[in-house]
Amino acid sequence: MEIKNAWEKYNDDNFKVVMDFAEGYKKFITDAKTERECVTEAVAICEANGYVNLDTYIAEGKEIKTGDKVYVTNMKKNLLAFKIGSVPFEKGINILGAHIDSPRIDLKQNPLYEDTELALLDTHYYGGIKKYQWVTLPLALHGVVVKKDGSSVNFVVGEDANDPVLVISDLLPHLSAGQMKKSASEIIDGEDLNVLIGSIPLKGEEKEKVKGYMKKILKDKYNFEEDDFISAEIEVVPAGAARDLGLDASMVIGYGHDDRVCAYSSLLALLEAGDLERTGCCFLVDKEEVGSQGATGAHSAFFENTIAEIMALMGVDSNLKVRRALANSKMLSSDVSAAFDPNYASVNERKNTAYFSKGLALNKYTGSRGKGGCNDANAEFVGQVRAIMDNNGVTWQTAELGRVDAGGGGTIACISANYGMEVIDSGVPVLNMHAPWEVISKVDLYEAKQGYLAFLKDAK
Ligand code: MN
Ligand code: MN
């Protein structure tokens, strides 16, 4: 199947639309490097577009009607937004689901220590990273510190031009004879991902003077004490902004494309949707990179509870009808695909691989070793999605994650499919996936948004 390069669709008149869409996206991923920051940004975007918090409807006992725009958050790490359509919920809604957590390095609960008059922070990495990629890079800290009195401090270091950055050290080549003999998975030990944060001793202190000075800075500049790390969530992420990549600026290099590139394009598609027949929904979830468990992962009851709340506010307070709504829904699990990399061609099978500039990638199934753990979208549903994409002039492709038995992976698709709804994975191809700096194509980002919009409008 020959798929035309999507750039060829764009001429002098509409080329700028593609490039401009990426500008908004670059700003989003530069500002939002944690799931909490993604929710904060998404709420701001929703409110600026006339979306009203579901809690307001509930508090006021206000009816939800066709055309209403509603959002709700969960524990500051999930967001659900709805554009209410004219078709009753029990006939099903059209869902775009993406995750907003990305691989990173988290601080431990007791992170701060001093060794040889250097102050460091101890960490535990989050998600599937190649640990050797995260050393010798300028790093930032993003997170929240909650104190015993319930107040909290937003803690961000390393993003402002005047801010210092941090680093995890690596060994010089001169002394790496032993290290270089290790396998790549062992070359950096997980316990050695320690972040260097300071080296000046505190005057007047007897021992651990450098740690003492760090504690003073935390108190004076950032307004929290060492003990407060215990109730903090602080993520170590690459410092700096997303940037154009390539002499033609056709790509974006940034942190956390997986899966904020699909989260952003899904949310923007919902905002752009006009009057809908079936209700359109954008679901942004946490914890995908570690298995989707917990109160903020896709396994949480948050999604179905919210459907029940909304239906009740539409006058349908029926458990059976909530179940029908879930089973009759259709979903694009908006998650990224591995882009074909000419440097590493051997891990792919060229006919069934996602390529840059070939648009939105549909993954009928994911999984590994004989499709283990996959969602496998029904052929009938794939047929419907194909038709929607073609009818709306969206450039799209099909892909699977690598050659058979090369590896594999999963998404939230199989979790939502447990409700009995039709779900297929669909997303933007990413190079360097799970590395500190990942790469996407601007035209694929735009085609994804167009594909998501078409799905919201036309899926039945
Ligand atoms: Mn993902
Ligand atoms: Mn991932």
Side-chain angles (χ1 to χ4, degrees):
M1 200 176 77
E2 179 67 28
I3 301 160
K4 247 179 109 177
N5 187 310
W7 286 111
E8 293 180 23
K9 287 198 300 199
Y10 297 99
N11 53 33
D12 291 349
D13 298 331
N14 51 16
F15 180 78
K16 196 174 173 304
V17 179
V18 176
M19 299 307 258
D20 286 352
F21 188 75
E23 291 304 306
Y25 171 62
K26 282 190 316 197
K27 184 176 182 322
F28 179 80
I29 57 165
T30 295
D31 294 344
K33 290 189 174 178
T34 69
E35 53 283 0
R36 285 173 185 263
E37 289 169 351
C38 282
V39 166
T40 302
E41 291 294 318
V43 166
I45 292 170
C46 282
E47 289 186 344
N49 283 273
Y51 278 69
V52 175
N53 195 320
L54 178 65
D55 297 339
T56 307
Y57 280 91
I58 293 171
E60 295 173 4
K62 205 174 140 196
E63 191 191 346
I64 293 181
K65 302 183 301 299
T66 301
D68 281 5
K69 298 185 280 189
V70 185
Y71 79 89
V72 62
T73 62
N74 174 35
M75 299 179 180
K76 302 174 183 169
K77 297 175 184 176
N78 293 158
L79 179 129
L80 263 168
F82 297 87
K83 177 90 199 291
I84 307 296
S86 52
V87 172
F89 258 59
E90 62 182 289
K91 304 276 188 202
I93 67 173
N94 294 340
I95 305 159
L96 303 170
H99 68 93
I100 49 175
D101 62 317
S102 295
R104 60 178 189 254
I105 299 172
D106 287 342
L107 295 194
K108 288 186 180 180
Q109 298 321 112
N110 283 307
L112 181 60
Y113 69 101
E114 175 174 334
D115 193 339
T116 59
E117 296 178 56
L118 296 174
L120 299 113
L121 294 171
D122 209 334
T123 67
H124 194 145
Y125 66 97
Y126 173 98
I129 63 168
K130 288 177 161 180
K131 294 184 277 284
Y132 67 79
Q133 294 177 330
W134 291 73
V135 295
T136 73
L137 293 169
L139 297 170
L141 300 175
H142 286 236
V144 62
V145 181
V146 179
K147 301 186 187 181
K148 281 204 286 185
D149 67 1
S151 64
S152 64
V153 175
N154 271 325
F155 183 53
V156 179
V157 183
E159 298 295 350
D160 190 273
N162 298 314
D163 262 3
V165 293
L166 309 156
V167 78
I168 298 170
S169 63
D170 190 9
L171 208 47
L172 64 170
H174 316 63
L175 298 180
S176 295
Q179 187 196 37
M180 296 302 276
K181 290 197 181 82
K182 293 182 183 174
S183 70
S185 64
E186 293 165 343
I187 193 163
I188 303 292
D189 190 86
E191 202 54 74
D192 292 341
L193 292 171
N194 301 315
V195 183
L196 178 61
I197 61 162
S199 61
I200 296 178
L202 181 65
K203 289 187 178 63
E205 195 91 338
E206 280 303 308
K207 48 182 192 177
E208 296 201 313
K209 295 178 189 175
V210 178
K211 177 177 170 180
Y213 191 51
M214 289 303 109
K215 285 162 69 171
K216 181 171 162 40
I217 290 175
L218 291 177
K219 178 92 179 87
D220 295 351
K221 190 167 177 192
Y222 300 106
N223 187 29
F224 69 94
E225 310 270 357
E226 183 188 8
D227 283 354
D228 294 326
F229 276 123
I230 289 167
S231 45
E233 290 174 354
I234 298 172
E235 305 180 9
V236 182
V237 295
R243 300 179 67 169
D244 285 349
L245 187 110
L247 300 183
D248 55 3
S250 61
M251 297 166 276
V252 176
I253 185 164
Y255 165 65
H257 287 315
D258 176 11
D259 183 35
R260 290 160 193 157
V261 67
C262 298
Y264 182 79
S265 46
S266 293
L267 184 61
L268 274 271
L270 182 69
L271 300 181
E272 198 178 316
D275 291 341
L276 293 170
E277 289 178 12
R278 283 160 66 99
T279 291
C281 167
C282 175
F283 186 22
L284 305 183
V285 289
D286 176 32
K287 295 287 182 288
E288 193 275 345
E289 296 293 357
V290 291
S292 297
Q293 302 90 338
T296 58
H299 282 295
S300 159
F302 168 62
F303 179 73
E304 59 191 273
N305 289 350
T306 302
I307 299 292
E309 291 280 7
I310 291 184
M311 289 178 70
L313 288 166
M314 297 180 81
V316 184
D317 193 353
S318 155
N319 184 31
L320 178 63
K321 288 186 175 176
V322 168
R323 286 162 185 268
R324 284 180 185 159
L326 293 166
N328 290 329
S329 290
K330 304 262 164 95
M331 174 167 164
L332 295 184
S333 161
S334 314
D335 204 347
V336 297
S337 274
F340 180 84
D341 183 341
N343 286 335
Y344 300 95
S346 66
V347 300
N348 290 112
E349 183 272 288
R350 286 175 186 256
K351 299 188 302 305
N352 291 283
T353 294
Y355 296 89
F356 267 17
S357 312
K358 303 279 185 179
L360 180 64
L362 301 181
N363 284 62
K364 183 177 185 295
Y365 48 84
T366 51
S368 53
R369 293 177 303 283
K371 301 189 180 180
C374 72
N375 173 68
D376 198 341
N378 290 309
E380 291 83 353
F381 182 51
V382 182
Q384 184 185 78
V385 173
R386 274 175 74 192
I388 291 170
M389 297 303 153
D390 284 347
N391 293 342
N392 286 277
V394 175
T395 300
W396 62 278
Q397 54 187 327
T398 59
E400 60 178 273
L401 185 51
R403 291 177 74 83
V404 175
D405 290 341
T411 67
I412 64 168
C414 56
I415 303 165
S416 303
N418 287 339
Y419 291 118
M421 68 175 75
E422 301 272 21
V423 186
I424 185 168
D425 280 300
S426 69
V428 174
V430 173
L431 271 183
N432 303 349
M433 196 192 294
H434 285 205
W437 297 101
E438 301 175 318
V439 179
I440 57 117
S441 153
K442 291 181 181 176
V443 80
D444 296 330
L445 165 66
Y446 190 73
E447 293 301 318
K449 189 268 288 176
Q450 294 295 87
Y452 296 152
L453 181 60
F455 178 81
L456 290 176
K457 211 159 48 72
D458 291 354
K460 291 198 170 63

PDB file of all heavy atoms in Angstrom, residues 74-86:
ATOM      1  N   ASN A  74      -9.046  14.664  38.194  1.00  0.00           N
ATOM      2  CA  ASN A  74      -8.968  13.663  39.249  1.00  0.00           C
ATOM      3  C   ASN A  74      -7.582  13.723  39.870  1.00  0.00           C
ATOM      4  O   ASN A  74      -6.590  13.454  39.190  1.00  0.00           O
ATOM      5  CB  ASN A  74      -9.229  12.274  38.638  1.00  0.00           C
ATOM      6  CG  ASN A  74      -9.036  11.145  39.626  1.00  0.00           C
ATOM      7  OD1 ASN A  74      -9.331  11.282  40.812  1.00  0.00           O
ATOM      8  ND2 ASN A  74      -8.524  10.021  39.133  1.00  0.00           N
ATOM      9  N   MET A  75      -7.519  14.105  41.134  1.00  0.00           N
ATOM     10  CA  MET A  75      -6.253  14.122  41.893  1.00  0.00           C
ATOM     11  C   MET A  75      -5.159  14.902  41.165  1.00  0.00           C
ATOM     12  O   MET A  75      -3.970  14.593  41.312  1.00  0.00           O
ATOM     13  CB  MET A  75      -5.790  12.698  42.194  1.00  0.00           C
ATOM     14  CG  MET A  75      -6.785  11.946  43.042  1.00  0.00           C
ATOM     15  SD  MET A  75      -6.247  10.257  43.382  1.00  0.00           S
ATOM     16  CE  MET A  75      -7.642   9.698  44.373  1.00  0.00           C
ATOM     17  N   LYS A  76      -5.566  15.886  40.374  1.00  0.00           N
ATOM     18  CA  LYS A  76      -4.630  16.773  39.659  1.00  0.00           C
ATOM     19  C   LYS A  76      -3.765  16.034  38.634  1.00  0.00           C
ATOM     20  O   LYS A  76      -2.784  16.574  38.130  1.00  0.00           O
ATOM     21  CB  LYS A  76      -3.733  17.541  40.648  1.00  0.00           C
ATOM     22  CG  LYS A  76      -4.542  18.376  41.635  1.00  0.00           C
ATOM     23  CD  LYS A  76      -3.661  19.000  42.688  1.00  0.00           C
ATOM     24  CE  LYS A  76      -4.549  19.764  43.680  1.00  0.00           C
ATOM     25  NZ  LYS A  76      -3.844  20.186  44.875  1.00  0.00           N
ATOM     26  N   LYS A  77      -4.117  14.775  38.332  1.00  0.00           N
ATOM     27  CA  LYS A  77      -3.299  13.996  37.399  1.00  0.00           C
ATOM     28  C   LYS A  77      -4.086  13.396  36.232  1.00  0.00           C
ATOM     29  O   LYS A  77      -3.488  12.726  35.380  1.00  0.00           O
ATOM     30  CB  LYS A  77      -2.599  12.854  38.152  1.00  0.00           C
ATOM     31  CG  LYS A  77      -1.630  13.333  39.220  1.00  0.00           C
ATOM     32  CD  LYS A  77      -1.086  12.137  39.974  1.00  0.00           C
ATOM     33  CE  LYS A  77      -0.187  12.580  41.106  1.00  0.00           C
ATOM     34  NZ  LYS A  77       0.267  11.447  41.910  1.00  0.00           N
ATOM     35  N   ASN A  78      -5.396  13.532  36.250  1.00  0.00           N
ATOM     36  CA  ASN A  78      -6.239  13.066  35.127  1.00  0.00           C
ATOM     37  C   ASN A  78      -7.138  14.215  34.704  1.00  0.00           C
ATOM     38  O   ASN A  78      -7.541  15.009  35.553  1.00  0.00           O
ATOM     39  CB  ASN A  78      -7.249  11.980  35.534  1.00  0.00           C
ATOM     40  CG  ASN A  78      -6.638  10.666  35.926  1.00  0.00           C
ATOM     41  OD1 ASN A  78      -7.269   9.901  36.631  1.00  0.00           O
ATOM     42  ND2 ASN A  78      -5.438  10.407  35.493  1.00  0.00           N
ATOM     43  N   LEU A  79      -7.485  14.211  33.455  1.00  0.00           N
ATOM     44  CA  LEU A  79      -8.506  15.155  32.986  1.00  0.00           C
ATOM     45  C   LEU A  79      -9.436  14.437  32.025  1.00  0.00           C
ATOM     46  O   LEU A  79      -9.003  13.631  31.202  1.00  0.00           O
ATOM     47  CB  LEU A  79      -7.862  16.357  32.290  1.00  0.00           C
ATOM     48  CG  LEU A  79      -8.872  17.374  31.738  1.00  0.00           C
ATOM     49  CD1 LEU A  79      -8.541  18.789  32.188  1.00  0.00           C
ATOM     50  CD2 LEU A  79      -8.935  17.330  30.217  1.00  0.00           C
ATOM     51  N   LEU A  80     -10.718  14.716  32.177  1.00  0.00           N
ATOM     52  CA  LEU A  80     -11.728  14.245  31.233  1.00  0.00           C
ATOM     53  C   LEU A  80     -12.463  15.470  30.722  1.00  0.00           C
ATOM     54  O   LEU A  80     -12.897  16.309  31.526  1.00  0.00           O
ATOM     55  CB  LEU A  80     -12.734  13.331  31.930  1.00  0.00           C
ATOM     56  CG  LEU A  80     -12.530  11.828  31.833  1.00  0.00           C
ATOM     57  CD1 LEU A  80     -13.448  11.120  32.809  1.00  0.00           C
ATOM     58  CD2 LEU A  80     -12.749  11.308  30.418  1.00  0.00           C
ATOM     59  N   ALA A  81     -12.581  15.600  29.414  1.00  0.00           N
ATOM     60  CA  ALA A  81     -13.334  16.711  28.843  1.00  0.00           C
ATOM     61  C   ALA A  81     -14.372  16.141  27.878  1.00  0.00           C
ATOM     62  O   ALA A  81     -14.106  15.159  27.184  1.00  0.00           O
ATOM     63  CB  ALA A  81     -12.396  17.668  28.121  1.00  0.00           C
ATOM     64  N   PHE A  82     -15.552  16.755  27.881  1.00  0.00           N
ATOM     65  CA  PHE A  82     -16.669  16.273  27.057  1.00  0.00           C
ATOM     66  C   PHE A  82     -17.286  17.421  26.280  1.00  0.00           C
ATOM     67  O   PHE A  82     -17.534  18.485  26.837  1.00  0.00           O
ATOM     68  CB  PHE A  82     -17.777  15.688  27.944  1.00  0.00           C
ATOM     69  CG  PHE A  82     -17.375  14.492  28.739  1.00  0.00           C
ATOM     70  CD1 PHE A  82     -16.780  14.648  29.987  1.00  0.00           C
ATOM     71  CD2 PHE A  82     -17.581  13.214  28.259  1.00  0.00           C
ATOM     72  CE1 PHE A  82     -16.405  13.545  30.736  1.00  0.00           C
ATOM     73  CE2 PHE A  82     -17.213  12.100  29.008  1.00  0.00           C
ATOM     74  CZ  PHE A  82     -16.621  12.261  30.250  1.00  0.00           C
ATOM     75  N   LYS A  83     -17.557  17.169  25.010  1.00  0.00           N
ATOM     76  CA  LYS A  83     -18.419  18.040  24.223  1.00  0.00           C
ATOM     77  C   LYS A  83     -19.700  17.237  24.043  1.00  0.00           C
ATOM     78  O   LYS A  83     -19.708  16.205  23.357  1.00  0.00           O
ATOM     79  CB  LYS A  83     -17.752  18.339  22.874  1.00  0.00           C
ATOM     80  CG  LYS A  83     -18.568  19.173  21.931  1.00  0.00           C
ATOM     81  CD  LYS A  83     -18.277  20.654  22.148  1.00  0.00           C
ATOM     82  CE  LYS A  83     -19.387  21.534  21.580  1.00  0.00           C
ATOM     83  NZ  LYS A  83     -19.438  21.518  20.128  1.00  0.00           N
ATOM     84  N   ILE A  84     -20.775  17.683  24.705  1.00  0.00           N
ATOM     85  CA  ILE A  84     -21.990  16.867  24.769  1.00  0.00           C
ATOM     86  C   ILE A  84     -22.723  16.881  23.427  1.00  0.00           C
ATOM     87  O   ILE A  84     -23.034  17.950  22.877  1.00  0.00           O
ATOM     88  CB  ILE A  84     -22.926  17.371  25.893  1.00  0.00           C
ATOM     89  CG1 ILE A  84     -22.181  17.457  27.238  1.00  0.00           C
ATOM     90  CG2 ILE A  84     -24.167  16.474  25.987  1.00  0.00           C
ATOM     91  CD1 ILE A  84     -21.681  16.150  27.811  1.00  0.00           C
ATOM     92  N   GLY A  85     -22.976  15.691  22.912  1.00  0.00           N
ATOM     93  CA  GLY A  85     -23.647  15.558  21.626  1.00  0.00           C
ATOM     94  C   GLY A  85     -25.156  15.381  21.781  1.00  0.00           C
ATOM     95  O   GLY A  85     -25.686  15.334  22.896  1.00  0.00           O
ATOM     96  N   SER A  86     -25.821  15.255  20.634  1.00  0.00           N
ATOM     97  CA  SER A  86     -27.287  15.164  20.645  1.00  0.00           C
ATOM     98  C   SER A  86     -27.785  13.733  20.863  1.00  0.00           C
ATOM     99  O   SER A  86     -28.927  13.518  21.261  1.00  0.00           O
ATOM    100  CB  SER A  86     -27.847  15.716  19.325  1.00  0.00           C
ATOM    101  OG  SER A  86     -27.206  15.076  18.232  1.00  0.00           O
TER     102      SER A  86
END
